Amino acid sequence: MEKISKLIAAIVRSEFGVDLTSSVSISDGEHGDFSTNVAMQIAGRVGASPRDVAEKIVAKLDLDAEIAGPGFINITVSGRWLNDSLNDEWSEKFGENRDGAGKTVVVEYPSQNVAKPYSVGHLRPGNQGWAARNLMLATGWRVITDNHLGDYGAPFGIWVVGFRKFSSPEKLAEGGVYELGRVYVAMKAELKEEEKRGEHTLSDRVQEWLLKLESGDAEAVEYSQKFNEISLDHIHEVMGRLGISTEHELGEAFFAPRGKAEVQNLLDAGIAVKNPDGSIIVHLDEYGIKTPVLLQKSNGAALYATTDLATLKYREEQWHPDRVIYAVAAEQKFYFEQLFALAKKIGIKTELIHMWFGLIDQMNKDGTREKMSSRKGVILMEELLDQAETTARQNAKSPDMSDNDIRKIALGAIKFTDFSKDRRTNILFNWGSMFSLTGFSGPYVQYAAVRVNKILRDNIATPPAAISAKYNFEAEREVLKKLIEYPNTIKQAADSLEPHRVAQFAYDLARVVNRYYENTPVATAGVDADTKAARLGLLAKTAQVFAHSLNILGIEIPERM
Ligand code: ARG
């Protein structure tokens, strides 16, 4: 596509003296391989009819081209032409580009809260954030990743009071983060009851422990270290299972004290204002936002926005990013509008992006669809992963599949579901189809990749010969056309932060390749050496693109399936 765009751009320049700033847009032709409406685009500018413009272009184009309608140009190329143009572009890093060269991006994910076990609420931020990281890397950015842990505020106090009331060191040793979660939920319920009664003994105690922690009280610090360690170990373990990680892990607790100092600066500068009750806000009317952002409570406590204010400043000072991507659920859309307006108001020019997601639905046995939950309420990530592994094992064709391959397939199914549609749409967990080897699923694509890899492995002895000029690549047309699209897919997915475009591509490639060897013997007896080398060469390229695209999505290719 790149090649054909350039060809046409060159003709347009020499014939009409028009410099097309963007590359010529080429689409899959309905009649032919490619089509372009460039003649219509420039006709007005050069003062000729689209049809005349198209005719001039076609006359110069050394390819089989036809004009349709008011001036569409439909181009048909040979298989050999496709192969040669793919070869021209081919590299070890085929698909990557340098759009982001010299620029720095901070990508923030999955930013769980430490108080409770990792739940599916942070599945999409993790998967999509990881894919965003990979897309930025594939387009040449310098990438810094940060897990903005929700580890500040009341949870600590609630844990301590709840632990002393409902739990014991033995129970904690046994249940770990699940015991902490149980204590947290039970304590929250008690606090609610207490509030209803109009009392505040327990909530006072929660505040006391928070103050103790702030003042460095030894017992409070010990509790905090113990609980955080349990929770963090859990978070790391589950992130490991999901195959995601971040370089930094600067949570809200790290930023809270800095946030308070920043709030004071904003007060001094007259940007923030103190209300009569002592709370501190920043007005955002000039950005079309009626609700001011609350930066400090009347009792002086730091808030979510306080920590984010400090986070913004810290990232500017430490990393000088050109862009920050926050992979966070859609619920926080308004909050991020406020935060980004606040950033503008304090002079931060960095591009700030809230990469948000639709909800996760589940398909019930009776065919109805609802927000994903379990009888106990929210679904835990470990349960989800366990269930996916169990299902992967049940569906496995061969009984001796390795645990590692099972794990890859389970993750492939989960992640592909996440990337099944535009990230802003709700996704559906349907255990019946997520593992389907015939439909749109991770395992379907993985299976296609495994098959390609196997053919290559079985024929490893075949040297990659130079293909003779007489091999015409007509049987390979569809695969070649798909592969040629890959760099543009990556570009678009990165520009729009839409990893599902990569998933869609990988699925389409799998389909095209499956159809290819239904009809085309690659390395069976009777295939002559020239043909075999040509076909294996194509499969090697296909294997590389499968590996690259699935890697962007955080999906690994099993050894066997
Ligand atoms: N911990 C938050 C949550 O789970 C997400 C944090 C998002 N990042 C941020 N910088 N505010 O809701």
Side-chain angles (χ1 to χ4, degrees):
M1 291 240 252
E2 189 62 18
K3 185 166 158 186
I4 218 156
S5 299
K6 281 189 188 146
L7 270 175
I8 292 175
I11 295 175
V12 167
R13 195 175 311 117
S14 69
E15 288 298 294
F16 303 105
V18 173
D19 250 321
L20 297 163
T21 40
S22 60
S23 69
V24 179
S25 93
I26 302 278
S27 58
D28 254 4
E30 267 178 59
H31 311 283
D33 296 307
F34 305 113
S35 103
T36 176
N37 62 4
V38 68
M40 278 107 100
Q41 276 177 44
I42 64 167
R45 248 188 288 172
V46 304
S49 77
R51 191 134 194 130
D52 289 345
V53 174
E55 265 163 23
K56 281 206 168 150
I57 294 175
V58 167
K60 288 281 158 186
L61 199 60
D62 202 7
L63 290 166
D64 178 1
E66 260 177 22
I67 301 164
F72 287 103
I73 304 174
N74 291 328
I75 302 161
T76 306
V77 295
S78 67
R80 184 77 204 194
W81 187 94
L82 289 168
N83 184 68
D84 292 349
S85 65
L86 181 60
N87 276 348
D88 289 348
E89 282 184 49
W90 195 258
S91 74
E92 239 173 80
K93 302 197 158 201
F94 179 72
E96 302 195 1
N97 67 55
R98 305 289 301 151
D99 288 356
K103 291 190 281 186
T104 298
V105 58
V106 176
V107 191
E108 189 205 284
Y109 58 85
S111 309
Q112 316 88 329
N113 304 317
V114 299
K116 290 189 280 182
Y118 204 148
S119 84
V120 294
H122 289 90
L123 178 68
R124 303 202 75 188
N127 289 339
Q128 301 267 348
W130 182 252
R133 160 201 186 263
N134 294 333
L135 281 170
M136 294 297 96
L137 285 172
T139 44
W141 292 73
R142 167 181 172 236
V143 181
I144 295 166
T145 52
D146 186 19
N147 187 358
H148 191 78
L149 291 167
D151 56 359
Y152 178 73
F156 168 77
I158 295 175
W159 265 346
V160 180
V161 179
F163 176 74
R164 295 160 69 97
K165 205 169 149 69
F166 302 118
S167 191
S168 66
E170 294 73 36
K171 281 191 187 160
L172 186 60
E174 204 191 303
V177 73
Y178 294 97
E179 175 64 6
L180 283 179
R182 184 187 72 84
V183 161
Y184 180 80
V185 170
M187 194 58 212
K188 282 281 266 197
E190 291 269 320
L191 285 166
K192 214 169 169 183
E193 285 301 310
E194 182 185 75
E195 202 188 329
K196 269 196 212 149
R197 293 195 304 270
E199 293 165 17
H200 48 81
T201 328
L202 285 175
S203 63
D204 284 351
R205 238 187 277 160
V206 169
Q207 288 309 319
E208 268 165 39
W209 277 103
L210 285 171
L211 286 177
K212 276 194 192 179
L213 182 63
E214 259 194 58
S215 63
D217 171 86
E219 200 183 7
V221 169
E222 199 183 313
Y223 272 129
S224 155
Q225 280 169 354
K226 174 97 194 134
F227 294 162
N228 276 326
E229 188 186 304
I230 291 175
S231 189
L232 272 183
D233 281 352
H234 165 73
I235 283 172
H236 293 151
E237 192 187 318
V238 179
M239 283 176 72
R241 282 184 78 179
L242 285 168
I244 64 177
S245 59
T246 61
E247 283 167 84
H248 299 278
E249 207 167 51
L250 300 172
E252 292 172 24
F254 174 79
F255 290 111
R258 293 165 190 265
K260 287 196 185 175
E262 292 296 345
V263 172
Q264 190 54 52
N265 291 341
L266 295 191
L267 272 180
D268 296 345
I271 295 175
V273 284
K274 197 174 221 147
N275 288 326
D277 70 355
S279 61
I280 298 172
I281 58 172
V282 175
H283 288 290
L284 301 170
D285 300 79
E286 63 266 49
Y287 301 95
I289 298 173
K290 292 270 166 293
T291 323
V293 60
L294 183 58
L295 285 183
Q296 198 164 298
K297 285 210 256 188
S298 51
N299 67 4
L303 290 155
Y304 191 46
T306 325
T307 59
D308 264 324
L309 169 65
T311 309
L312 277 167
K313 294 283 261 189
Y314 180 88
R315 289 173 178 163
E316 290 297 310
E317 282 154 20
Q318 296 290 315
W319 299 324
H320 313 287
D322 298 276
R323 172 188 283 183
V324 181
I325 298 171
Y326 296 79
V328 185
E331 282 102 319
Q332 297 190 29
K333 253 159 104 175
F334 180 64
Y335 170 72
F336 279 107
E337 278 169 30
Q338 286 186 310
L339 183 68
F340 296 171
L342 173 66
K344 278 209 191 100
K345 189 153 175 164
I346 63 174
I348 291 177
K349 302 216 162 54
T350 308
E351 180 190 14
L352 304 172
I353 301 175
H354 177 202
M355 184 185 183
W356 55 274
F357 323 104
L359 301 172
I360 306 180
D361 292 341
Q362 68 187 10
M363 181 71 93
N364 296 323
K365 288 231 162 65
D366 61 7
T368 54
R369 185 176 169 152
E370 67 178 0
K371 185 170 173 188
M372 186 145 92
S373 64
S374 74
R375 250 175 304 128
K376 289 166 279 168
V378 59
I379 298 205
L380 300 176
M381 197 73 88
E382 289 195 294
E383 288 172 359
L384 183 81
L385 290 168
D386 289 347
Q387 185 174 356
E389 284 174 18
T390 307
T391 315
R393 197 170 287 289
Q394 281 161 358
N395 288 356
K397 282 195 179 157
S398 81
D400 54 342
M401 201 130 85
S402 75
D403 287 347
N404 204 26
D405 279 352
I406 290 288
R407 189 186 60 80
K408 290 179 186 175
I409 294 166
L411 270 186
I414 291 177
K415 293 194 182 188
F416 223 75
T417 303
D418 200 330
F419 300 119
S420 58
K421 287 201 189 92
D422 183 309
R423 61 181 159 78
R424 302 160 191 91
T425 352
N426 292 3
I427 49 164
L428 176 65
F429 264 74
N430 180 348
W431 293 98
S433 62
M434 277 166 64
F435 291 84
S436 161
L437 289 182
T438 52
F440 187 95
S441 79
Y444 173 80
V445 180
Q446 287 172 313
Y447 187 60
V450 167
R451 251 171 97 184
V452 173
N453 289 346
K454 177 164 172 16
I455 297 174
L456 292 171
R457 240 188 351 253
D458 291 348
N459 291 281
I460 202 141
T462 307
I467 315 302
S468 84
K470 68 178 197 301
Y471 190 78
N472 66 17
F473 287 95
E474 281 309 315
E476 284 69 34
R477 299 178 62 86
E478 294 307 312
V479 180
L480 285 165
K481 273 176 72 177
K482 200 75 229 162
L483 291 174
I484 285 173
E485 269 177 36
Y486 187 57
N488 199 40
T489 302
I490 293 300
K491 182 178 169 46
Q492 289 183 345
D495 286 351
S496 57
L497 287 178
E498 291 176 347
H500 77 280
R501 290 169 183 270
V502 181
Q504 183 65 48
F505 174 90
Y507 172 71
D508 291 341
L509 180 62
R511 282 217 341 219
V512 168
V513 170
N514 285 345
R515 219 180 301 139
Y516 172 63
Y517 33 54
E518 261 165 40
N519 308 319
T520 322
V522 172
T524 45
V527 177
D528 66 81
D530 205 27
T531 303
K532 183 169 165 181
R535 294 180 175 173
L536 286 173
L538 179 77
L539 289 190
K541 289 191 170 83
T542 306
Q544 185 182 322
V545 172
F546 269 137
H548 194 274
S549 55
L550 290 174
N551 182 58
I552 290 209
L553 303 175
I555 296 174
E556 292 173 86
I557 300 171
E559 294 297 314
R560 303 198 305 150
M561 266 178 98

